[in-house]
Amino acid sequence: LNLILNRLFGVNLVEISMHSTESWSNHVTKYELNHESEGTLGYIYLDLYPRQGKYMHAAHFTVLCGRDRSYQSLSYQLPVVALVCNFQNGIRLEFHELETLFHEFGHALHSLLSRSKFQHLSGTRTALDFVEIPSHLFELFVHDFRVLQLFARDENTHEVLDESRFHQVMKKNDLFCAMNLQNQVLYSAVDLAFHSEYTTSQWSNDCGSIYSELQQKFTRIVPQSSDVYSHSILAHLGGYSTGYYTYLYAKVFAAQIWNEVF
């Protein structure tokens, strides 16, 4: 990460010590984000590996938003964020785990590099249509051989990743991409349906039936029985209520930025 951060933004992550009561686990590390001329820009906690009782998914959490405090004759309030993941094999990451790390770190950078007058407009506290753009954009770096060859090594020989192996990995990663796209459209439609006003003449009151009907409409997958409750896997039905579509929406902007800039 530091290789990319330094080349793109002139910043580096530097591990720093914590107060004895500051961390929620002895597996957590703390870093400050330093700019070569502007100094410290913010702080990030990394909690990357699983343990009993820990949150089971991957996410970026804002601990403290950045904000202007000049009206109080104080310096800018530096943002503090936490990155929580569950990588199973330590520093040996599978490709999908590397994508997850870069995706969530894109969110973290959004918060750490943001400078705003009001804390409720800081970083990821932006319009929902755009909140996923930095994360999807940063994720694209692991799809580029120019980037992976800087740090990717064979776990046994420690040889640098060669281009033929890279293309094999990408080919495998792109399997069923059309089906995955259909599923994202389905999840977006389900999210909108569950959080919209529909009369019983349009939908049954059974969430499973709604999911099955939309699955038949938007995908080529054989609809499951309405009593399977496939919608229960959609963790973002809560925090992203009516906004799940922004995942696909943001991918479009991220791809355009990538193609024009990188």
Side-chain angles (χ1 to χ4, degrees):
L1 287 172
N2 256 339
L3 290 170
I4 299 172
L5 293 177
N6 187 261
R7 293 191 183 194
L8 287 181
F9 307 110
V11 299
N12 288 287
L13 287 173
V14 179
E15 186 173 0
I16 58 176
S17 59
M18 289 183 281
H19 188 276
S20 59
T21 60
E22 184 177 355
S23 175
W24 55 94
S25 168
N26 57 10
H27 297 289
V28 175
T29 53
K30 182 181 182 180
Y31 294 80
E32 63 180 16
L33 187 68
N34 285 328
H35 188 270
E36 52 194 12
S37 62
E38 298 181 25
T40 302
L41 300 180
Y43 302 92
I44 180 171
Y45 295 96
L46 297 182
D47 186 358
L48 302 180
Y49 309 112
R51 60 180 177 274
Q52 188 173 5
K54 182 185 172 183
Y55 176 75
M56 296 176 61
H57 304 285
H60 149 269
F61 296 99
T62 301
V63 179
L64 185 68
C65 288
R67 68 182 178 97
D68 177 50
R69 299 188 298 179
S70 59
Y71 70 96
Q72 297 173 299
S73 298
L74 297 173
S75 60
Y76 189 84
Q77 177 173 291
L78 296 178
V80 181
V81 302
L83 204 63
V84 178
C85 299
N86 285 278
F87 302 136
Q88 297 294 324
N89 299 305
I91 61 173
R92 176 183 172 273
L93 300 184
E94 300 290 340
F95 186 77
H96 70 90
E97 292 178 323
L98 189 61
E99 286 180 313
T100 297
L101 175 61
F102 273 65
H103 181 97
E104 299 303 338
F105 200 83
H107 283 308
L109 278 181
H110 191 180
S111 295
L112 292 170
L113 297 179
S114 173
R115 290 296 179 266
S116 61
K117 184 174 183 180
F118 304 108
Q119 69 172 11
H120 290 295
L121 298 177
S122 174
T124 54
R125 295 188 176 190
T126 184
L128 190 57
D129 279 1
F130 304 103
V131 73
E132 291 291 335
I133 294 176
S135 56
H136 282 306
L137 179 60
F138 211 67
E139 189 178 326
L140 290 175
F141 281 99
V142 302
H143 291 224
D144 193 304
F145 179 68
R146 296 171 298 174
V147 176
L148 281 186
Q149 67 177 342
L150 296 176
F151 62 87
R153 301 290 185 273
D154 184 279
E155 64 172 319
N156 297 315
T157 66
H158 304 292
E159 293 180 350
V160 178
L161 177 71
D162 64 79
E163 194 163 5
S164 62
R165 175 58 177 158
F166 166 76
H167 288 302
Q168 290 176 5
V169 172
M170 295 308 301
K171 186 176 181 179
K172 178 181 178 182
N173 188 66
D174 289 339
L175 286 174
F176 308 112
C177 60
M179 185 178 294
N180 290 333
L181 177 61
Q182 287 183 350
N183 274 332
Q184 290 301 307
V185 173
L186 169 64
Y187 297 159
S188 301
V190 168
D191 176 46
L192 290 173
F194 283 2
H195 294 95
S196 301
E197 292 291 336
Y198 286 101
T199 64
T200 54
S201 61
Q202 293 171 297
W203 300 100
S204 76
N205 291 324
D206 177 21
C207 291
S209 297
I210 296 176
Y211 185 94
S212 294
E213 185 175 336
L214 290 173
Q215 185 180 42
Q216 188 171 12
K217 180 178 180 180
F218 289 107
T219 78
R220 304 293 295 176
I221 301 172
V222 177
Q224 297 174 340
S225 171
S226 61
D227 60 0
V228 173
Y229 305 110
S230 299
H231 56 280
S232 62
I233 67 172
L234 304 180
H236 286 80
L237 281 179
Y240 277 67
S241 305
T242 72
Y244 191 88
Y245 72 90
T246 59
Y247 271 87
L248 279 181
Y249 194 59
K251 277 182 176 288
V252 175
F253 289 107
Q256 183 176 355
I257 294 170
W258 178 268
N259 289 332
E260 294 187 6
V261 177
F262 301 103

